[in-house]
Amino acid sequence: MKKNLTVLMAAVLAAASLAGCGSSKPAETTAAATTAAATEAAATEAAKEAAAETTAAAEESKADSASEGTAEIPTDFTTITPGKLTVGTSPDFAPYEFYHINNGNPELAGFDIALAQRIADDLGLELQVVPIDFDGILMELQNGNIDLGISGFSPSPERAQTFDFSDIYYTGGQAFVIRKADVDKYKDYEAFTGLPVGAQNGSIQMGLAEANTPNANIIGLAKVTDIVSELVSGKLEGAFIETAVAEQYIKNYPELQIAWDVPYDTEGSAVALKKGSDLAPAVNAVIKNALADGTMDEYIATAQELASDEGNVFEGQLDENGKAAAN
Ligand code: ARG
């Protein structure tokens, strides 16, 4: 019985992880049905039979996946805490990462968080997300306190000298944001000479500010949330922000608007890893599958929906009581 149960569990795990990689809806149903069947079967003498069925289901879903060209997840990786995947993120960046307030409780949300969960699930690890200001994430990675940085990271050539990056999982753009009332006043970067222009500390937007508005008074702030509120209140005249994030903030602050797009060479977001990390192949396999089976698109759609749930979005760090302080 014990042996059967072990075989059964292995089969269930295999089916579940395969289901996670297959085309989402039918595969999820298969996984749920399989798990329910397994729990019942384990309590009866029919365990052996069920195990055989489960294996058959796993084989079937394996065949499905193979025909879709699903990448197999390597298993030879290590994490800083065995059994756990520790991920650093800066939740000031809807729809990538933010807090969605569910019945008064702030819950981490966003397509980066969904991707982090998917990576943990597919690698058979428990996800642990550590909220860190953006400019501290790479240091925590370097110091071995987190396994991955998933925070809308642009894999810039400068960073790539010190860190490894996964394949691109999302392609966005860069924007220059101003107050709507100033559209006639600010027609080009020249107009910002001597004026305060914001960007997030440690972000590639600081580089964009230095390259495009070298004569402005460039102000680095820890959180995009702060950049937005200073722009609204008039402490800043312009700001460099990721396009998808700018668009999301503008929904809540209609007094702002994107003045123009900002070209950037290393477009797209990637997962940051410590140089030489053995997690890279597994992370890339999950990204490949999530892009191929359409689940990444679902993560993005859900993130945008939650980020637009007016009054229930918090961007920044929670206070010491785990509460979303007023912005
Ligand atoms: N893509 C930019 C960078 O890599 C900004 C990312 C900021 N992320 C965040 N969660 N605040 O520098």
PDB file of all heavy atoms in Angstrom, residues 89-94 96-97 112 132-134 137 150-156 159 165 174 200-206 222-224 242 245 264 267-269, ligand 1:
ATOM      1  N   THR A  89      10.931  41.817  -4.927  1.00  0.00           N
ATOM      2  CA  THR A  89      10.172  42.672  -5.839  1.00  0.00           C
ATOM      3  C   THR A  89       9.861  43.999  -5.176  1.00  0.00           C
ATOM      4  O   THR A  89       9.842  44.101  -3.953  1.00  0.00           O
ATOM      5  CB  THR A  89       8.876  41.973  -6.299  1.00  0.00           C
ATOM      6  OG1 THR A  89       8.366  42.629  -7.457  1.00  0.00           O
ATOM      7  CG2 THR A  89       7.798  42.003  -5.221  1.00  0.00           C
ATOM      8  N   SER A  90       9.617  45.029  -6.001  1.00  0.00           N
ATOM      9  CA  SER A  90       9.296  46.361  -5.489  1.00  0.00           C
ATOM     10  C   SER A  90       7.860  46.692  -5.909  1.00  0.00           C
ATOM     11  O   SER A  90       7.625  47.098  -7.041  1.00  0.00           O
ATOM     12  CB  SER A  90      10.293  47.365  -6.083  1.00  0.00           C
ATOM     13  OG  SER A  90       9.916  48.680  -5.786  1.00  0.00           O
ATOM     14  N   PRO A  91       6.907  46.497  -5.005  1.00  0.00           N
ATOM     15  CA  PRO A  91       5.483  46.559  -5.395  1.00  0.00           C
ATOM     16  C   PRO A  91       4.929  47.980  -5.552  1.00  0.00           C
ATOM     17  O   PRO A  91       3.893  48.320  -4.992  1.00  0.00           O
ATOM     18  CB  PRO A  91       4.778  45.797  -4.270  1.00  0.00           C
ATOM     19  CG  PRO A  91       5.696  45.863  -3.112  1.00  0.00           C
ATOM     20  CD  PRO A  91       7.085  46.156  -3.584  1.00  0.00           C
ATOM     21  N   ASP A  92       5.623  48.776  -6.345  1.00  0.00           N
ATOM     22  CA  ASP A  92       5.167  50.145  -6.620  1.00  0.00           C
ATOM     23  C   ASP A  92       4.924  50.288  -8.115  1.00  0.00           C
ATOM     24  O   ASP A  92       5.080  51.355  -8.679  1.00  0.00           O
ATOM     25  CB  ASP A  92       6.235  51.154  -6.179  1.00  0.00           C
ATOM     26  CG  ASP A  92       7.573  50.948  -6.888  1.00  0.00           C
ATOM     27  OD1 ASP A  92       7.764  49.886  -7.525  1.00  0.00           O
ATOM     28  OD2 ASP A  92       8.430  51.846  -6.827  1.00  0.00           O
ATOM     29  N   PHE A  93       4.579  49.179  -8.775  1.00  0.00           N
ATOM     30  CA  PHE A  93       4.730  49.117 -10.207  1.00  0.00           C
ATOM     31  C   PHE A  93       3.566  48.375 -10.874  1.00  0.00           C
ATOM     32  O   PHE A  93       3.780  47.404 -11.604  1.00  0.00           O
ATOM     33  CB  PHE A  93       6.056  48.385 -10.470  1.00  0.00           C
ATOM     34  CG  PHE A  93       6.860  48.885 -11.637  1.00  0.00           C
ATOM     35  CD1 PHE A  93       7.226  50.215 -11.744  1.00  0.00           C
ATOM     36  CD2 PHE A  93       7.285  48.006 -12.633  1.00  0.00           C
ATOM     37  CE1 PHE A  93       8.010  50.648 -12.811  1.00  0.00           C
ATOM     38  CE2 PHE A  93       8.065  48.431 -13.705  1.00  0.00           C
ATOM     39  CZ  PHE A  93       8.421  49.757 -13.794  1.00  0.00           C
ATOM     40  N   ALA A  94       2.349  48.827 -10.650  1.00  0.00           N
ATOM     41  CA  ALA A  94       1.194  48.192 -11.306  1.00  0.00           C
ATOM     42  C   ALA A  94       1.272  48.450 -12.810  1.00  0.00           C
ATOM     43  O   ALA A  94       1.650  49.546 -13.208  1.00  0.00           O
ATOM     44  CB  ALA A  94      -0.107  48.770 -10.750  1.00  0.00           C
ATOM     45  N   TYR A  96       2.737  45.412 -13.013  1.00  0.00           N
ATOM     46  CA  TYR A  96       3.761  44.383 -12.798  1.00  0.00           C
ATOM     47  C   TYR A  96       3.654  43.801 -11.383  1.00  0.00           C
ATOM     48  O   TYR A  96       3.545  42.595 -11.213  1.00  0.00           O
ATOM     49  CB  TYR A  96       5.176  44.954 -12.978  1.00  0.00           C
ATOM     50  CG  TYR A  96       5.557  45.396 -14.363  1.00  0.00           C
ATOM     51  CD1 TYR A  96       4.985  46.521 -14.965  1.00  0.00           C
ATOM     52  CD2 TYR A  96       6.535  44.725 -15.080  1.00  0.00           C
ATOM     53  CE1 TYR A  96       5.372  46.939 -16.230  1.00  0.00           C
ATOM     54  CE2 TYR A  96       6.929  45.139 -16.350  1.00  0.00           C
ATOM     55  CZ  TYR A  96       6.343  46.250 -16.911  1.00  0.00           C
ATOM     56  OH  TYR A  96       6.733  46.666 -18.163  1.00  0.00           O
ATOM     57  N   GLU A  97       3.733  44.719 -10.369  1.00  0.00           N
ATOM     58  CA  GLU A  97       3.624  44.282  -8.969  1.00  0.00           C
ATOM     59  C   GLU A  97       3.068  45.415  -8.131  1.00  0.00           C
ATOM     60  O   GLU A  97       3.502  46.549  -8.249  1.00  0.00           O
ATOM     61  CB  GLU A  97       4.987  43.834  -8.381  1.00  0.00           C
ATOM     62  CG  GLU A  97       6.156  44.752  -8.691  1.00  0.00           C
ATOM     63  CD  GLU A  97       6.933  44.259  -9.888  1.00  0.00           C
ATOM     64  OE1 GLU A  97       6.854  43.061 -10.160  1.00  0.00           O
ATOM     65  OE2 GLU A  97       7.595  45.060 -10.555  1.00  0.00           O
ATOM     66  N   ASP A 112       4.029  40.000 -12.619  1.00  0.00           N
ATOM     67  CA  ASP A 112       5.321  39.492 -12.136  1.00  0.00           C
ATOM     68  C   ASP A 112       5.101  38.496 -10.993  1.00  0.00           C
ATOM     69  O   ASP A 112       5.806  37.496 -10.876  1.00  0.00           O
ATOM     70  CB  ASP A 112       6.192  40.646 -11.607  1.00  0.00           C
ATOM     71  CG  ASP A 112       6.986  41.330 -12.719  1.00  0.00           C
ATOM     72  OD1 ASP A 112       6.920  40.871 -13.876  1.00  0.00           O
ATOM     73  OD2 ASP A 112       7.674  42.324 -12.415  1.00  0.00           O
ATOM     74  N   ILE A 132      10.927  44.705  -1.526  1.00  0.00           N
ATOM     75  CA  ILE A 132      12.146  45.506  -1.314  1.00  0.00           C
ATOM     76  C   ILE A 132      12.046  46.720  -2.240  1.00  0.00           C
ATOM     77  O   ILE A 132      11.562  46.584  -3.359  1.00  0.00           O
ATOM     78  CB  ILE A 132      13.416  44.709  -1.728  1.00  0.00           C
ATOM     79  CG1 ILE A 132      13.431  43.310  -1.097  1.00  0.00           C
ATOM     80  CG2 ILE A 132      14.697  45.469  -1.403  1.00  0.00           C
ATOM     81  CD1 ILE A 132      14.483  42.375  -1.696  1.00  0.00           C
ATOM     82  N   ASP A 133      12.540  47.888  -1.791  1.00  0.00           N
ATOM     83  CA  ASP A 133      12.591  49.025  -2.713  1.00  0.00           C
ATOM     84  C   ASP A 133      13.449  48.623  -3.912  1.00  0.00           C
ATOM     85  O   ASP A 133      14.452  47.918  -3.750  1.00  0.00           O
ATOM     86  CB  ASP A 133      13.193  50.257  -2.025  1.00  0.00           C
ATOM     87  CG  ASP A 133      12.131  51.044  -1.258  1.00  0.00           C
ATOM     88  OD1 ASP A 133      10.931  50.698  -1.378  1.00  0.00           O
ATOM     89  OD2 ASP A 133      12.501  51.993  -0.533  1.00  0.00           O
ATOM     90  N   PHE A 134      13.085  49.113  -5.081  1.00  0.00           N
ATOM     91  CA  PHE A 134      13.731  48.648  -6.308  1.00  0.00           C
ATOM     92  C   PHE A 134      15.254  48.729  -6.259  1.00  0.00           C
ATOM     93  O   PHE A 134      15.949  47.790  -6.671  1.00  0.00           O
ATOM     94  CB  PHE A 134      13.194  49.417  -7.521  1.00  0.00           C
ATOM     95  CG  PHE A 134      13.716  48.873  -8.815  1.00  0.00           C
ATOM     96  CD1 PHE A 134      13.243  47.664  -9.312  1.00  0.00           C
ATOM     97  CD2 PHE A 134      14.707  49.535  -9.525  1.00  0.00           C
ATOM     98  CE1 PHE A 134      13.737  47.124 -10.489  1.00  0.00           C
ATOM     99  CE2 PHE A 134      15.207  49.008 -10.712  1.00  0.00           C
ATOM    100  CZ  PHE A 134      14.721  47.808 -11.196  1.00  0.00           C
ATOM    101  N   ILE A 137      17.072  45.598  -4.642  1.00  0.00           N
ATOM    102  CA  ILE A 137      16.843  44.205  -5.048  1.00  0.00           C
ATOM    103  C   ILE A 137      18.125  43.518  -5.536  1.00  0.00           C
ATOM    104  O   ILE A 137      18.449  42.408  -5.104  1.00  0.00           O
ATOM    105  CB  ILE A 137      15.755  44.114  -6.142  1.00  0.00           C
ATOM    106  CG1 ILE A 137      14.426  44.681  -5.616  1.00  0.00           C
ATOM    107  CG2 ILE A 137      15.565  42.672  -6.595  1.00  0.00           C
ATOM    108  CD1 ILE A 137      13.321  44.742  -6.653  1.00  0.00           C
ATOM    109  N   ILE A 150      12.278  39.653  -9.469  1.00  0.00           N
ATOM    110  CA  ILE A 150      11.223  39.740 -10.497  1.00  0.00           C
ATOM    111  C   ILE A 150      10.501  41.050 -10.236  1.00  0.00           C
ATOM    112  O   ILE A 150       9.648  41.155  -9.359  1.00  0.00           O
ATOM    113  CB  ILE A 150      10.256  38.535 -10.453  1.00  0.00           C
ATOM    114  CG1 ILE A 150      11.035  37.213 -10.505  1.00  0.00           C
ATOM    115  CG2 ILE A 150       9.260  38.618 -11.621  1.00  0.00           C
ATOM    116  CD1 ILE A 150      10.175  35.972 -10.645  1.00  0.00           C
ATOM    117  N   SER A 151      10.881  42.080 -10.976  1.00  0.00           N
ATOM    118  CA  SER A 151      10.408  43.416 -10.657  1.00  0.00           C
ATOM    119  C   SER A 151      10.466  44.309 -11.889  1.00  0.00           C
ATOM    120  O   SER A 151      10.891  45.460 -11.814  1.00  0.00           O
ATOM    121  CB  SER A 151      11.266  43.972  -9.513  1.00  0.00           C
ATOM    122  OG  SER A 151      10.581  45.001  -8.834  1.00  0.00           O
ATOM    123  N   GLY A 152      10.068  43.753 -13.018  1.00  0.00           N
ATOM    124  CA  GLY A 152      10.091  44.513 -14.265  1.00  0.00           C
ATOM    125  C   GLY A 152      11.503  44.888 -14.682  1.00  0.00           C
ATOM    126  O   GLY A 152      11.717  45.944 -15.269  1.00  0.00           O
ATOM    127  N   PHE A 153      12.465  44.017 -14.384  1.00  0.00           N
ATOM    128  CA  PHE A 153      13.868  44.321 -14.685  1.00  0.00           C
ATOM    129  C   PHE A 153      14.163  44.393 -16.182  1.00  0.00           C
ATOM    130  O   PHE A 153      13.871  43.467 -16.927  1.00  0.00           O
ATOM    131  CB  PHE A 153      14.802  43.272 -14.074  1.00  0.00           C
ATOM    132  CG  PHE A 153      15.185  43.585 -12.656  1.00  0.00           C
ATOM    133  CD1 PHE A 153      14.598  42.916 -11.600  1.00  0.00           C
ATOM    134  CD2 PHE A 153      16.128  44.564 -12.385  1.00  0.00           C
ATOM    135  CE1 PHE A 153      14.942  43.209 -10.285  1.00  0.00           C
ATOM    136  CE2 PHE A 153      16.482  44.863 -11.075  1.00  0.00           C
ATOM    137  CZ  PHE A 153      15.884  44.191 -10.027  1.00  0.00           C
ATOM    138  N   SER A 154      14.788  45.488 -16.593  1.00  0.00           N
ATOM    139  CA  SER A 154      15.322  45.593 -17.948  1.00  0.00           C
ATOM    140  C   SER A 154      16.725  44.989 -17.912  1.00  0.00           C
ATOM    141  O   SER A 154      17.533  45.373 -17.072  1.00  0.00           O
ATOM    142  CB  SER A 154      15.428  47.058 -18.370  1.00  0.00           C
ATOM    143  OG  SER A 154      14.223  47.732 -18.109  1.00  0.00           O
ATOM    144  N   PRO A 155      16.993  44.054 -18.821  1.00  0.00           N
ATOM    145  CA  PRO A 155      18.318  43.408 -18.805  1.00  0.00           C
ATOM    146  C   PRO A 155      19.370  44.279 -19.479  1.00  0.00           C
ATOM    147  O   PRO A 155      19.887  43.937 -20.539  1.00  0.00           O
ATOM    148  CB  PRO A 155      18.073  42.107 -19.579  1.00  0.00           C
ATOM    149  CG  PRO A 155      16.920  42.411 -20.472  1.00  0.00           C
ATOM    150  CD  PRO A 155      16.101  43.505 -19.845  1.00  0.00           C
ATOM    151  N   SER A 156      19.686  45.396 -18.870  1.00  0.00           N
ATOM    152  CA  SER A 156      20.614  46.354 -19.493  1.00  0.00           C
ATOM    153  C   SER A 156      22.032  45.766 -19.571  1.00  0.00           C
ATOM    154  O   SER A 156      22.396  44.929 -18.743  1.00  0.00           O
ATOM    155  CB  SER A 156      20.646  47.644 -18.681  1.00  0.00           C
ATOM    156  OG  SER A 156      21.297  47.416 -17.459  1.00  0.00           O
ATOM    157  N   ARG A 159      23.942  46.015 -16.246  1.00  0.00           N
ATOM    158  CA  ARG A 159      23.559  45.013 -15.247  1.00  0.00           C
ATOM    159  C   ARG A 159      24.050  43.628 -15.642  1.00  0.00           C
ATOM    160  O   ARG A 159      24.423  42.830 -14.783  1.00  0.00           O
ATOM    161  CB  ARG A 159      22.034  44.978 -15.114  1.00  0.00           C
ATOM    162  CG  ARG A 159      21.475  46.153 -14.359  1.00  0.00           C
ATOM    163  CD  ARG A 159      19.960  46.059 -14.320  1.00  0.00           C
ATOM    164  NE  ARG A 159      19.406  47.216 -13.653  1.00  0.00           N
ATOM    165  CZ  ARG A 159      18.190  47.681 -13.855  1.00  0.00           C
ATOM    166  NH1 ARG A 159      17.392  47.073 -14.724  1.00  0.00           N
ATOM    167  NH2 ARG A 159      17.760  48.745 -13.214  1.00  0.00           N
ATOM    168  N   PHE A 165      20.365  37.306 -16.661  1.00  0.00           N
ATOM    169  CA  PHE A 165      18.957  37.588 -16.895  1.00  0.00           C
ATOM    170  C   PHE A 165      18.319  36.458 -17.681  1.00  0.00           C
ATOM    171  O   PHE A 165      18.968  35.838 -18.528  1.00  0.00           O
ATOM    172  CB  PHE A 165      18.790  38.920 -17.644  1.00  0.00           C
ATOM    173  CG  PHE A 165      19.043  40.110 -16.757  1.00  0.00           C
ATOM    174  CD1 PHE A 165      20.295  40.701 -16.706  1.00  0.00           C
ATOM    175  CD2 PHE A 165      18.040  40.583 -15.933  1.00  0.00           C
ATOM    176  CE1 PHE A 165      20.541  41.765 -15.861  1.00  0.00           C
ATOM    177  CE2 PHE A 165      18.278  41.655 -15.077  1.00  0.00           C
ATOM    178  CZ  PHE A 165      19.527  42.250 -15.044  1.00  0.00           C
ATOM    179  N   GLN A 174       9.066  52.748 -22.808  1.00  0.00           N
ATOM    180  CA  GLN A 174       9.396  53.802 -21.850  1.00  0.00           C
ATOM    181  C   GLN A 174       8.654  55.076 -22.240  1.00  0.00           C
ATOM    182  O   GLN A 174       8.472  55.349 -23.424  1.00  0.00           O
ATOM    183  CB  GLN A 174      10.903  54.057 -21.848  1.00  0.00           C
ATOM    184  CG  GLN A 174      11.738  52.797 -21.660  1.00  0.00           C
ATOM    185  CD  GLN A 174      11.470  52.109 -20.339  1.00  0.00           C
ATOM    186  OE1 GLN A 174      11.149  52.769 -19.342  1.00  0.00           O
ATOM    187  NE2 GLN A 174      11.562  50.795 -20.313  1.00  0.00           N
ATOM    188  N   GLN A 200      13.079  56.706 -10.953  1.00  0.00           N
ATOM    189  CA  GLN A 200      13.249  55.846  -9.783  1.00  0.00           C
ATOM    190  C   GLN A 200      14.722  55.508  -9.555  1.00  0.00           C
ATOM    191  O   GLN A 200      15.444  55.158 -10.491  1.00  0.00           O
ATOM    192  CB  GLN A 200      12.443  54.548  -9.960  1.00  0.00           C
ATOM    193  CG  GLN A 200      12.515  53.646  -8.729  1.00  0.00           C
ATOM    194  CD  GLN A 200      11.519  52.499  -8.784  1.00  0.00           C
ATOM    195  OE1 GLN A 200      11.253  51.948  -9.851  1.00  0.00           O
ATOM    196  NE2 GLN A 200      10.966  52.157  -7.633  1.00  0.00           N
ATOM    197  N   ASN A 201      15.148  55.602  -8.294  1.00  0.00           N
ATOM    198  CA  ASN A 201      16.532  55.258  -7.946  1.00  0.00           C
ATOM    199  C   ASN A 201      16.876  53.841  -8.389  1.00  0.00           C
ATOM    200  O   ASN A 201      16.088  52.917  -8.198  1.00  0.00           O
ATOM    201  CB  ASN A 201      16.734  55.327  -6.423  1.00  0.00           C
ATOM    202  CG  ASN A 201      16.830  56.747  -5.921  1.00  0.00           C
ATOM    203  OD1 ASN A 201      17.204  57.649  -6.659  1.00  0.00           O
ATOM    204  ND2 ASN A 201      16.477  56.948  -4.654  1.00  0.00           N
ATOM    205  N   GLY A 202      18.043  53.693  -8.975  1.00  0.00           N
ATOM    206  CA  GLY A 202      18.520  52.366  -9.361  1.00  0.00           C
ATOM    207  C   GLY A 202      17.878  51.813 -10.609  1.00  0.00           C
ATOM    208  O   GLY A 202      18.153  50.682 -10.997  1.00  0.00           O
ATOM    209  N   SER A 203      17.014  52.603 -11.261  1.00  0.00           N
ATOM    210  CA  SER A 203      16.323  52.089 -12.448  1.00  0.00           C
ATOM    211  C   SER A 203      16.997  52.594 -13.720  1.00  0.00           C
ATOM    212  O   SER A 203      17.751  53.569 -13.685  1.00  0.00           O
ATOM    213  CB  SER A 203      14.854  52.529 -12.442  1.00  0.00           C
ATOM    214  OG  SER A 203      14.762  53.909 -12.747  1.00  0.00           O
ATOM    215  N   ILE A 204      16.688  51.941 -14.829  1.00  0.00           N
ATOM    216  CA  ILE A 204      17.246  52.376 -16.109  1.00  0.00           C
ATOM    217  C   ILE A 204      16.671  53.747 -16.488  1.00  0.00           C
ATOM    218  O   ILE A 204      17.249  54.458 -17.310  1.00  0.00           O
ATOM    219  CB  ILE A 204      16.994  51.342 -17.239  1.00  0.00           C
ATOM    220  CG1 ILE A 204      15.499  51.109 -17.436  1.00  0.00           C
ATOM    221  CG2 ILE A 204      17.725  50.045 -16.971  1.00  0.00           C
ATOM    222  CD1 ILE A 204      14.940  51.722 -18.675  1.00  0.00           C
ATOM    223  N   GLN A 205      15.550  54.126 -15.855  1.00  0.00           N
ATOM    224  CA  GLN A 205      14.960  55.441 -16.120  1.00  0.00           C
ATOM    225  C   GLN A 205      15.892  56.566 -15.658  1.00  0.00           C
ATOM    226  O   GLN A 205      15.856  57.660 -16.217  1.00  0.00           O
ATOM    227  CB  GLN A 205      13.581  55.566 -15.450  1.00  0.00           C
ATOM    228  CG  GLN A 205      12.466  54.831 -16.184  1.00  0.00           C
ATOM    229  CD  GLN A 205      12.443  53.332 -15.951  1.00  0.00           C
ATOM    230  OE1 GLN A 205      13.089  52.815 -15.041  1.00  0.00           O
ATOM    231  NE2 GLN A 205      11.698  52.618 -16.767  1.00  0.00           N
ATOM    232  N   MET A 206      16.732  56.290 -14.647  1.00  0.00           N
ATOM    233  CA  MET A 206      17.732  57.294 -14.234  1.00  0.00           C
ATOM    234  C   MET A 206      18.683  57.549 -15.396  1.00  0.00           C
ATOM    235  O   MET A 206      19.042  58.695 -15.685  1.00  0.00           O
ATOM    236  CB  MET A 206      18.514  56.801 -13.003  1.00  0.00           C
ATOM    237  CG  MET A 206      17.825  57.022 -11.676  1.00  0.00           C
ATOM    238  SD  MET A 206      17.369  58.743 -11.355  1.00  0.00           S
ATOM    239  CE  MET A 206      18.732  59.295 -10.371  1.00  0.00           C
ATOM    240  N   ALA A 222      12.811  56.799  -4.353  1.00  0.00           N
ATOM    241  CA  ALA A 222      12.827  55.351  -4.110  1.00  0.00           C
ATOM    242  C   ALA A 222      11.644  54.634  -4.753  1.00  0.00           C
ATOM    243  O   ALA A 222      11.766  53.489  -5.177  1.00  0.00           O
ATOM    244  CB  ALA A 222      12.854  55.078  -2.620  1.00  0.00           C
ATOM    245  N   LYS A 223      10.499  55.318  -4.806  1.00  0.00           N
ATOM    246  CA  LYS A 223       9.288  54.637  -5.298  1.00  0.00           C
ATOM    247  C   LYS A 223       8.640  55.404  -6.437  1.00  0.00           C
ATOM    248  O   LYS A 223       8.570  56.637  -6.407  1.00  0.00           O
ATOM    249  CB  LYS A 223       8.274  54.480  -4.165  1.00  0.00           C
ATOM    250  CG  LYS A 223       8.769  53.593  -3.054  1.00  0.00           C
ATOM    251  CD  LYS A 223       7.724  53.469  -1.962  1.00  0.00           C
ATOM    252  CE  LYS A 223       8.257  52.630  -0.817  1.00  0.00           C
ATOM    253  NZ  LYS A 223       9.379  53.281  -0.108  1.00  0.00           N
ATOM    254  N   VAL A 224       8.130  54.658  -7.401  1.00  0.00           N
ATOM    255  CA  VAL A 224       7.418  55.292  -8.513  1.00  0.00           C
ATOM    256  C   VAL A 224       6.196  56.041  -7.967  1.00  0.00           C
ATOM    257  O   VAL A 224       5.831  57.103  -8.460  1.00  0.00           O
ATOM    258  CB  VAL A 224       7.005  54.241  -9.575  1.00  0.00           C
ATOM    259  CG1 VAL A 224       6.224  54.882 -10.703  1.00  0.00           C
ATOM    260  CG2 VAL A 224       8.236  53.540 -10.123  1.00  0.00           C
ATOM    261  N   GLU A 242       8.116  53.590 -16.930  1.00  0.00           N
ATOM    262  CA  GLU A 242       7.776  52.504 -17.860  1.00  0.00           C
ATOM    263  C   GLU A 242       6.350  52.753 -18.401  1.00  0.00           C
ATOM    264  O   GLU A 242       5.453  53.101 -17.638  1.00  0.00           O
ATOM    265  CB  GLU A 242       7.828  51.188 -17.081  1.00  0.00           C
ATOM    266  CG  GLU A 242       8.249  50.015 -17.886  1.00  0.00           C
ATOM    267  CD  GLU A 242       9.689  49.585 -17.581  1.00  0.00           C
ATOM    268  OE1 GLU A 242      10.413  50.289 -16.842  1.00  0.00           O
ATOM    269  OE2 GLU A 242      10.080  48.551 -18.120  1.00  0.00           O
ATOM    270  N   VAL A 245       3.260  51.100 -16.771  1.00  0.00           N
ATOM    271  CA  VAL A 245       3.082  51.595 -15.403  1.00  0.00           C
ATOM    272  C   VAL A 245       2.514  53.016 -15.440  1.00  0.00           C
ATOM    273  O   VAL A 245       1.589  53.355 -14.688  1.00  0.00           O
ATOM    274  CB  VAL A 245       4.424  51.541 -14.644  1.00  0.00           C
ATOM    275  CG1 VAL A 245       4.303  52.148 -13.258  1.00  0.00           C
ATOM    276  CG2 VAL A 245       4.921  50.109 -14.570  1.00  0.00           C
ATOM    277  N   TYR A 264      14.423  53.115 -26.080  1.00  0.00           N
ATOM    278  CA  TYR A 264      15.380  52.465 -25.179  1.00  0.00           C
ATOM    279  C   TYR A 264      15.877  51.180 -25.839  1.00  0.00           C
ATOM    280  O   TYR A 264      15.082  50.428 -26.403  1.00  0.00           O
ATOM    281  CB  TYR A 264      14.724  52.167 -23.826  1.00  0.00           C
ATOM    282  CG  TYR A 264      15.633  51.453 -22.861  1.00  0.00           C
ATOM    283  CD1 TYR A 264      16.834  52.041 -22.465  1.00  0.00           C
ATOM    284  CD2 TYR A 264      15.304  50.195 -22.365  1.00  0.00           C
ATOM    285  CE1 TYR A 264      17.680  51.373 -21.588  1.00  0.00           C
ATOM    286  CE2 TYR A 264      16.148  49.528 -21.484  1.00  0.00           C
ATOM    287  CZ  TYR A 264      17.329  50.130 -21.104  1.00  0.00           C
ATOM    288  OH  TYR A 264      18.172  49.476 -20.252  1.00  0.00           O
ATOM    289  N   GLU A 267      14.899  46.863 -24.577  1.00  0.00           N
ATOM    290  CA  GLU A 267      13.480  46.844 -24.233  1.00  0.00           C
ATOM    291  C   GLU A 267      13.059  45.463 -23.723  1.00  0.00           C
ATOM    292  O   GLU A 267      13.620  44.456 -24.130  1.00  0.00           O
ATOM    293  CB  GLU A 267      12.669  47.246 -25.474  1.00  0.00           C
ATOM    294  CG  GLU A 267      11.424  48.047 -25.169  1.00  0.00           C
ATOM    295  CD  GLU A 267      11.622  49.158 -24.144  1.00  0.00           C
ATOM    296  OE1 GLU A 267      11.525  48.860 -22.933  1.00  0.00           O
ATOM    297  OE2 GLU A 267      11.837  50.311 -24.531  1.00  0.00           O
ATOM    298  N   GLY A 268      12.073  45.449 -22.824  1.00  0.00           N
ATOM    299  CA  GLY A 268      11.539  44.182 -22.323  1.00  0.00           C
ATOM    300  C   GLY A 268      11.958  43.894 -20.899  1.00  0.00           C
ATOM    301  O   GLY A 268      12.919  44.471 -20.388  1.00  0.00           O
ATOM    302  N   SER A 269      11.186  43.003 -20.246  1.00  0.00           N
ATOM    303  CA  SER A 269      11.465  42.642 -18.850  1.00  0.00           C
ATOM    304  C   SER A 269      11.973  41.211 -18.758  1.00  0.00           C
ATOM    305  O   SER A 269      11.498  40.331 -19.471  1.00  0.00           O
ATOM    306  CB  SER A 269      10.194  42.753 -18.009  1.00  0.00           C
ATOM    307  OG  SER A 269       9.608  44.011 -18.192  1.00  0.00           O
TER     308      SER A 269
HETATM  309  N1  ARG B   1      12.547  48.515 -16.064  1.00  0.00           N
HETATM  310  C1  ARG B   1      13.173  49.428 -15.162  1.00  0.00           C
HETATM  311  C2  ARG B   1      14.495  48.895 -14.690  1.00  0.00           C
HETATM  312  O1  ARG B   1      14.763  47.746 -14.826  1.00  0.00           O
HETATM  313  C3  ARG B   1      12.312  49.790 -13.980  1.00  0.00           C
HETATM  314  C4  ARG B   1      11.848  48.656 -13.139  1.00  0.00           C
HETATM  315  C5  ARG B   1      11.238  49.149 -11.829  1.00  0.00           C
HETATM  316  N2  ARG B   1      10.518  48.134 -11.147  1.00  0.00           N
HETATM  317  C6  ARG B   1       9.770  48.348 -10.068  1.00  0.00           C
HETATM  318  N3  ARG B   1       9.104  47.349  -9.581  1.00  0.00           N
HETATM  319  N4  ARG B   1       9.689  49.527  -9.531  1.00  0.00           N
HETATM  320  O2  ARG B   1      15.296  49.621 -14.196  1.00  0.00           O
END
